[in-house]
Amino acid sequence: MARKTKQQALATRQHIIDIAIRLFSERGVSSTSLADIALAAGVTRGAIYWHFKNKSDLFSEIWESSEAGIGDLEVEYRAKFPDDPLSVIRELLITILEATVVDERRRLMMEIIFHKCEFVGEMAPVQEAQRSMYLQEYDKIEAALQQCVDKGLLPQGLMTRRAAILMRSYMCGLMESWLFAPQLFDLHKEARAYVCTLIEMFQRCPSLQNASA
């Protein structure tokens, strides 16, 4: 019985998250209350507060679960390309772009982040948490690029911090632009070409090379 109760609680938690994603995408985060989510999910507000302290806590859970999925993909690609970190980066970036188009959950999440969320009031703590996470991700990207340099897959003089900043900005820009006006370009069809262009820039662009290397 206890196991069943735990499973039911987990199912309820996931149902609340799914409904919150849909409502945040439709109405925007600031215009969606926990009461709105409870009503749409068919649960009491008490059930919401049993699982989440407040709206920012719920939003953080959604964001972290989305990022966790990317981490799982990275593990998968590292196993597939054990001695080729550049292929890991390339395939991971392509999958992220393609998933923005074909994975409804990720698409809605990106719409919320880019176009439906104001980090003010009760959402201010989320912005600070994301800022900290961004810094950690830059470190992680830079480390992955350095692995490519060490393997001879990228130039020895590559300015890895600059390249990491460009990579994240490039990817976010593509996703945000497509989500705002999908009719402008076929992100799914062109995903591989966009990523290959980015990698070629890392391999050949003089302004990304440290002259003293």
Side-chain angles (χ1 to χ4, degrees):
M1 182 64 71
R3 183 182 302 169
K4 183 177 181 181
T5 300
K6 183 177 181 180
Q7 291 173 343
Q8 289 174 335
L10 290 173
T12 298
R13 181 185 181 88
Q14 187 58 56
H15 178 58
I16 291 169
I17 288 173
D18 292 341
I19 294 298
I21 291 174
R22 178 171 61 81
L23 292 184
F24 287 159
S25 176
E26 291 174 356
R27 308 178 185 181
V29 176
S30 61
S31 298
T32 303
S33 68
L34 290 181
D36 294 330
I37 295 170
L39 180 63
V43 300
T44 64
R45 289 187 65 182
I48 300 281
Y49 285 112
W50 174 262
H51 293 283
F52 306 100
K53 293 183 293 186
N54 48 42
K55 187 163 67 174
S56 64
D57 184 42
L58 171 56
F59 185 86
S60 294
E61 174 75 15
I62 293 171
W63 176 256
E64 289 170 9
S65 66
S66 176
E67 292 301 301
I70 295 176
D72 293 341
L73 279 172
E74 183 178 359
V75 171
E76 177 184 333
Y77 286 129
R78 285 188 180 278
K80 186 175 182 180
F81 305 104
D83 298 312
D84 188 355
L86 190 59
S87 288
V88 174
I89 292 174
R90 183 186 65 246
E91 296 306 316
L92 183 60
L93 296 183
I94 291 169
T95 300
I96 289 172
L97 292 180
E98 291 178 340
T100 303
V101 180
V102 301
D103 185 331
E104 182 182 22
R105 183 185 179 88
R106 179 162 183 81
R107 182 175 70 253
L108 293 177
M109 190 64 220
M110 292 301 99
E111 285 179 354
I112 294 165
I113 291 293
F114 290 130
H115 301 300
K116 301 291 182 69
C117 184
E118 295 179 329
F119 294 107
V120 296
E122 63 183 319
M123 295 299 294
V126 178
Q127 185 182 46
E128 195 57 40
Q130 285 194 332
R131 184 178 289 116
S132 176
M133 186 171 65
Y134 272 31
L135 292 174
Q136 293 174 12
E137 286 184 358
Y138 281 129
D139 292 341
K140 188 175 179 180
I141 294 170
E142 187 175 8
L145 291 172
Q146 186 60 51
Q147 287 181 350
C148 295
V149 172
D150 295 340
K151 288 281 189 179
L153 301 171
L154 288 176
Q156 284 296 319
L158 181 69
M159 301 173 71
T160 53
R161 191 64 172 186
R162 183 178 293 178
I165 292 170
L166 286 172
M167 179 184 291
R168 185 172 183 88
S169 300
Y170 183 90
M171 293 291 290
C172 288
L174 282 171
M175 290 186 289
E176 182 177 11
S177 297
W178 181 81
L179 288 165
F180 186 71
Q183 71 276 13
L184 291 180
F185 60 101
D186 189 334
L187 181 60
H188 188 269
K189 181 180 179 180
E190 298 293 323
R192 183 168 295 273
Y194 290 138
V195 172
C196 288
T197 298
L198 176 68
I199 292 175
E200 287 169 7
M201 181 172 64
F202 291 165
Q203 292 171 326
R204 304 173 186 175
C205 182
S207 60
L208 282 173
Q209 310 303 316
N210 190 335
S212 62

